[in-house]
Amino acid sequence: MLKMNTDSRFFSGLAEMEMESRIGPLLHRYADFNFEIDYSNGSIVFWREMVANSDGTEEPAYIKVSRGEENLFIWCFFLAIARWAIDGQEAYDWVQYLYIDDPISSLDENNAIAVAADLAHLLKDQDRLKTIISSHHTVFFNVLCNEMKRALRYFLAKAESGYELRDTTDTPHFYHVAMLKELHRVAKTGEIYTYHFTILRSIMEKTATFHGFSCLGEIIKREPNDEDGELHARYVNLLSHGNHSLFEPVDMMEENKRIFRKILNNLMNNYRFNPKLFP
């Protein structure tokens, strides 16, 4: 079960609001389980099926939901209350701002898109509450930008003095493009560490998915003496695993640096990115 902090006014007056009827339609857009809220005990239980008990009557067969399903339920719970706050309902007329931090953790791409669309639908036609949304998920961010064209949108970027917010203008700067710029920089300077192969692998996986391939091995350029096209794929798979900490960087061997540069250059030549970004 989930437990609610009943001392918090975030949950004030829920019993009178028929929350089940408000959360249910939202939840069933994403998931196939049911729930019940015990307002007196501040607990929530879940089930998918009803089973017959010893009396012959049916009762829920309670389940432990996954982390992704738990996040979806909490998200739908939040959306229902946000709707009350936007409408100025008395129990939530104190709310002036919404801050939403990456609501799509543990969700697949389809649910990330659905959550972004539902959130945009909730927010874009109201002016009662000011809202800040932060995310590292590029698809989620892009859907929000397309749905909420009047909203201010920023990219948090590393600068010499720490971090800064940059206006994305009409074209969102994707996280993987920023990372590719960083890999391009270290390939030129030679400051290549073991964790850079992990970043390269992530970018290659996104590129392969975007172009409709089943795995990153299918976008790696074959060497003349590599009939199976597996040599560089093995390097990427091998060197992107391990305990490579960003905070304790380990310098890469010269031979591995050479392979890193070759795989990176092949990727950028075969799948063209805006050359202005890579001086």
Side-chain angles (χ1 to χ4, degrees), residues 28-47:
H28 291 149
R29 296 179 190 176
Y30 310 108
D32 62 353
F33 58 89
N34 299 302
F35 67 97
E36 181 180 357
I37 303 175
D38 185 334
Y39 296 100
S40 59
N41 293 324
S43 61
I44 307 167
V45 292
F46 306 94
W47 74 92

Side-chain angles (χ1 to χ4, degrees), residues 85-137:
I86 287 171
D87 291 343
Q89 199 274 343
E90 183 177 356
Y92 294 99
D93 59 2
W94 52 272
V95 177
Q96 300 179 55
Y97 305 95
L98 294 177
Y99 175 58
I100 302 169
D101 179 36
D102 233 350
I104 40 76
S105 299
S106 303
L107 301 185
D108 58 28
E109 297 283 290
N110 290 332
N111 278 325
I113 293 171
V115 166
D118 285 342
L119 180 60
H121 178 74
L122 177 71
L123 296 175
K124 64 183 179 181
D125 293 327
Q126 64 87 33
D127 56 6
R128 184 176 182 276
L129 301 182
K130 290 181 171 61
T131 305
I132 297 176
I133 305 167
S134 59
S135 177
H136 71 277
H137 195 288

